[in-house]
Amino acid sequence: MDIRTHIRQIPDFPKPGILFYDISTLLKHPKAWRATVDQLAETVRGYKPDLLVGIESRGFLVSAPLALELGCGFVMCRKKGKLPGRTVRHSYQLEYGSDTIELQEDAVQSGQRVVLLDDLLATGGTAAASIALLRKMGAKVEAAAFIIELTSLKGRARLDVPVAALLSYDT
C-alpha cells in the first residue's frame, strides 16, 4: 500500500509559507495505518529495543501501537511541566528561542536499548535534544524512526544515530 496517498498536505499551516504534512488522514484509514505500523515494525525490529520513546505529541501515536506490535515498552518525551512526578529535563536552542523536554526519572533504566520515534523529521532539533536527554539518563539510543522526513531541512544531519523514514519529501 502506498501510504503517501493518505498524507494530507495543508499549505500555510501553522503560518504562511509552511506546508504541513498531516497524518490525521493516515490515522483514520485502518488499512493504511496498519501498513504504516507494519512498515515501521520492519524498520525498528532489528534494533531489538527495550523501549520506544515517542516525542510529544504525534510521536505518541506512532510509538504506542508500534510498542505493542514489537512487545516492548513505550515512554513519552514531553514538553516541560506535562509529566507528573519527578522528571529529568533537557533544555535546547531553537531557531528563535529555546525549549525544554522531560522524561519521568524512572522512565528509562541505564543500559536500556531505545529507539526514538516521531511522525516527522524536519530540522531535527527536538529529536537531537531527545537523544541527548535519553543518553543523560543512561539509555543506549540505537536509532530514530519517522513516518515522514523533510529532506531539504537536513534534520538527519543533526542526529548521530541511524535514521529511518518511510516517506521523504523535498520541500
Side-chain angles (χ1 to χ4, degrees):
M1 173 175 292
D2 183 5
I3 64 172
R4 187 179 303 269
T5 63
H6 297 281
I7 306 290
R8 178 171 46 193
Q9 297 179 24
I10 301 174
D12 299 321
F13 183 82
K15 62 183 183 179
I18 302 291
L19 180 59
F20 185 82
Y21 292 87
D22 182 17
I23 67 163
S24 66
T25 47
L26 176 67
L27 293 167
K28 76 178 187 178
H29 191 283
K31 289 181 181 175
W33 183 232
R34 175 80 256 168
T36 302
V37 172
D38 289 346
Q39 289 177 39
L40 284 168
E42 277 304 305
T43 299
V44 170
R45 184 175 280 114
Y47 294 105
K48 298 178 174 59
D50 299 308
L51 291 172
L52 299 182
V53 177
I55 299 173
E56 185 168 333
S57 66
R58 290 180 301 274
F60 302 166
L61 300 172
V62 176
S63 302
L66 186 57
L68 284 174
E69 183 75 21
L70 296 177
C72 61
F74 162 63
V75 173
M76 296 177 284
C77 185
R78 299 209 65 185
K79 295 192 182 216
K80 181 180 172 183
K82 302 278 185 155
L83 290 170
R86 295 176 61 144
T87 61
V88 178
R89 294 181 178 161
H90 181 77
S91 295
Y92 61 104
Q93 292 303 122
L94 300 167
E95 286 182 45
Y96 304 103
S98 63
D99 208 348
T100 301
I101 54 171
E102 297 180 323
L103 289 165
Q104 290 173 315
E105 74 174 2
D106 62 353
V108 178
Q109 303 304 311
S110 184
Q112 282 188 302
R113 297 170 60 90
V114 170
V115 173
L116 183 71
L117 287 118
D118 205 353
D119 68 320
L120 184 133
L121 174 61
T123 64
T126 302
S130 299
I131 291 168
L133 175 57
L134 286 160
R135 287 180 175 149
K136 180 178 177 179
M137 296 178 71
K140 292 181 181 177
V141 183
E142 300 294 331
F146 306 88
I147 296 173
I148 300 166
E149 178 181 6
L150 304 181
T151 56
S152 62
L153 298 178
K154 302 185 184 338
R156 180 183 291 256
R158 295 185 70 179
L159 308 182
D160 63 354
V161 298
V163 176
L166 301 183
L167 303 172
S168 62
Y169 295 90
D170 185 25
T171 57

